[in-house]
């Protein structure tokens, strides 16, 4: 497996875990004191789906096949397991805190990807996506801070 394929696969798993996590968080928050955050989480779920598709399409251009799925291992490694636990009955604040944990992990995965020796085309996509994922993480952290205030 090439470095590009390996990095792409890892990021797609991270993105798919985030897509699912944001969607579940939005559902959980719909009927909570933090219902206003649900639309942002749906927006970020859609963003992760777009990013995943973009990476998979790029990989396909080079003859690599990267599946659009997260894994249980991915969940554990990417911090979304905390979100899944929160979704089983915790408060809206716990869901927001779990999303923050997941976002910190997503940024970490992008930072690792930026350190890898990948092709210039993939690097440009990773760096652009990392910028947007970091901005999303910052938005989520601001929500977490305002929700506790």
């Amino acid at each position: 497996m090439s470095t590009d394929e390996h990095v792409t696969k890892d990021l797609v798993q991270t993105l798919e875990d985030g897509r699912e996590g944001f969607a579940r968080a939005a559902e959980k928050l719909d009927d909570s004191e933090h219902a206003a955050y649900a639309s942002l989480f749906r927006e970020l779920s859609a963003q992760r789906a777009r990013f995943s598709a973009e990476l998979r399409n790029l990989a396909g251009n080079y003859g690599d096949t990267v599946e659009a799925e997260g894994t249980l291992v991915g969940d554990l490694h990417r911090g979304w397991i905390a979100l899944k636990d929160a979704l089983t009955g915790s408060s809206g604040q716990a869901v927001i805190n779990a999303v923050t944990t997941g976002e910190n992990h997503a940024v970490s995965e992008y930072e690792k990807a930026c350190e890898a020796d990948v092709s210039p085309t993939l690097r440009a996509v990773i760096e652009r996506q990392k910028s947007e994922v970091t901005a999303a993480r910052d938005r989520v952290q601001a929500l977490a801070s305002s929700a506790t205030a």
Side-chain angles (χ1 to χ4, degrees), residues 7 14-15 37 66 68 75 77 80 103 108 112 114 116 124 132:
V7 167
T14 297
L15 290 164
Y37 301 157
V66 178
D75 288 344
H77 288 291
W80 284 102
E103 283 299 89
S108 173
K112 285 194 308 190
C114 286
E132 292 186 52

Side-chain angles (χ1 to χ4, degrees), residues 64-129:
D64 296 332
T65 302
V66 178
E67 298 298 322
E69 59 187 39
T71 63
L72 178 57
V73 172
D75 288 344
L76 292 170
H77 288 291
R78 289 166 182 84
W80 284 102
I81 198 69
L83 174 59
K84 290 179 181 179
D85 288 344
L87 294 175
T88 62
S90 296
S91 70
Q93 182 62 50
V95 172
I96 294 166
N97 290 342
V99 168
T100 301
T101 299
E103 283 299 89
N104 286 332
H105 192 78
V107 169
S108 173
E109 289 296 308
Y110 270 91
E111 288 170 347
K112 285 194 308 190
C114 286
E115 294 172 4
D117 184 21
V118 297
S119 68
T121 303
L122 180 57
R123 178 166 307 285
V125 171
I126 291 170
E127 288 176 353
R128 179 182 42 76
Q129 287 185 358

Side-chain angles (χ1 to χ4, degrees), residues 8 12 49-68 121-122 125 129:
T8 300
V12 166
R50 285 190 312 275
F51 287 175
S52 174
E54 180 180 24
L55 288 172
R56 286 182 286 109
N57 288 336
L58 183 60
N61 290 342
Y62 293 106
D64 296 332
T65 302
V66 178
E67 298 298 322
T121 303
L122 180 57
V125 171
Q129 287 185 358

